[in-house]
């Protein structure tokens, strides 16, 4: 009777690709009119499994305050990432989502991410009082700005009103982060993931026939 000998050879463990979403909940954060210093909204992430980011998406609602319609053309919005608990630095990763778009409409309720056909800078020049909604590409690439970085960090959505007229508020915002986790470490003696290799079958048969 023929018998075959199989060996289980370990392969390198692979990382998993995961997505996580973090939300600021409801803010209703007032943005000072005609203020050159940007107003930050902070999300501190310390328990993420992502060690190497490949995709970053931001959803935000930024509109005129109740009873005082906003002037969206004054606004600038950017996303800034700093190491947890560290002071701000000029070297911190950042991306501009929008920068003083044309039009006097009342704001946005949007998802901003790379790959969208419409750019947020030019999407709504004809709106007057409505709130722009939908998915739009940012002014600067989010994916390129944060590629390869850990998700564990202090993330700030910085919002500024750079011209007089209209009062705006940041109602809410959230970030969806996608990237690789650290490779799993196989337990000692298990070999982890592996491949079955046919080996020694002919040798075994020859020794049986002697």
């Amino acid at each position: 009777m023929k018998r075959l000998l199989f060996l289980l050879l370990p392969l390198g463990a692979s990382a998993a690709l995961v997505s996580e979403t973090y939300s600021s909940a409801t803010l209703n954060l007032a943005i000072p009119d005609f203020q050159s210093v940007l107003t930050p909204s902070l999300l501190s992430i310390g328990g993420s499994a992502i060690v190497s980011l490949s995709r970053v998406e931001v959803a935000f609602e930024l509109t005129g305050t109740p009873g005082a319609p906003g002037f969206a053309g004054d606004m600038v919005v950017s996303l800034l990432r700093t190491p947890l608990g560290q002071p701000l630095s000029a070297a911190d990763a950042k991306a501009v989502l929008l920068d003083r778009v044309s039009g006097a409409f009342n704001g946005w309720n949007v998802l901003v991410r790379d790959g969208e056909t419409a750019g947020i800078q030019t999407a709504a020049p004809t709106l007057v009082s409505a709130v722009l909604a939908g998915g739009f590409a940012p002014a600067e690439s989010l994916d390129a700005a944060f590629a390869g970085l850990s998700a564990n960090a202090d993330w700030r959505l910085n919002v500024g009103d750079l011209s007089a007229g209209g009062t705006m508020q940041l109602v809410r915002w959230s970030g969806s982060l996608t990237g690789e986790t650290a490779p799993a470490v196989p337990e000692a003696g298990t070999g982890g993931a592996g491949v079955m290799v046919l080996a020694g079958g002919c040798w075994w048969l020859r020794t049986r026939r002697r």
Side-chain angles (χ1 to χ4, degrees), residues 6-195:
F6 291 92
L7 299 179
L8 184 62
L9 300 181
L11 297 178
S14 59
L17 190 68
V18 300
S19 295
E20 302 169 349
T21 299
Y22 299 88
S23 177
S24 68
T26 301
L27 288 175
N28 296 323
L29 178 65
I31 309 301
D33 188 30
F34 199 15
Q35 172 69 261
S36 60
V37 177
L38 304 187
T39 301
S41 175
L42 175 65
L43 275 178
S44 290
I45 300 174
S48 173
I50 298 173
V51 298
S52 180
L53 287 163
S54 58
R55 186 161 182 80
V56 175
E57 304 176 6
V58 177
F60 67 86
E61 184 177 354
L62 176 64
T63 63
T65 55
F71 194 95
D74 296 349
M75 307 304 294
V76 59
V77 180
S78 62
L79 183 66
L80 177 68
R81 177 200 177 278
T82 60
L84 276 170
Q86 298 297 310
L88 300 178
S89 166
D92 294 331
K94 55 186 175 293
V96 175
L97 275 62
L98 64 90
D99 187 1
R100 286 165 290 187
V101 303
S102 60
F105 57 100
N106 197 40
W108 302 265
N109 188 359
V110 291
L111 174 62
V112 183
R113 57 187 175 185
D114 288 22
E116 292 286 346
T117 301
I120 198 168
Q121 288 292 119
T122 56
T126 60
L127 289 177
V128 176
S129 60
V131 173
L132 181 66
F136 300 93
E140 296 180 352
S141 171
L142 286 163
D143 296 348
F146 305 107
L149 299 175
S150 167
N152 289 309
D154 287 333
W155 295 84
R156 291 174 174 85
L157 191 71
N158 294 323
V159 184
D161 187 338
L162 303 186
S163 300
T167 306
M168 304 288 286
Q169 64 175 344
L170 179 61
V171 179
R172 60 176 181 85
W173 75 282
S174 62
S176 294
L177 309 176
T178 300
E180 291 185 343
T181 63
V185 179
E187 295 181 9
T190 65
V195 58

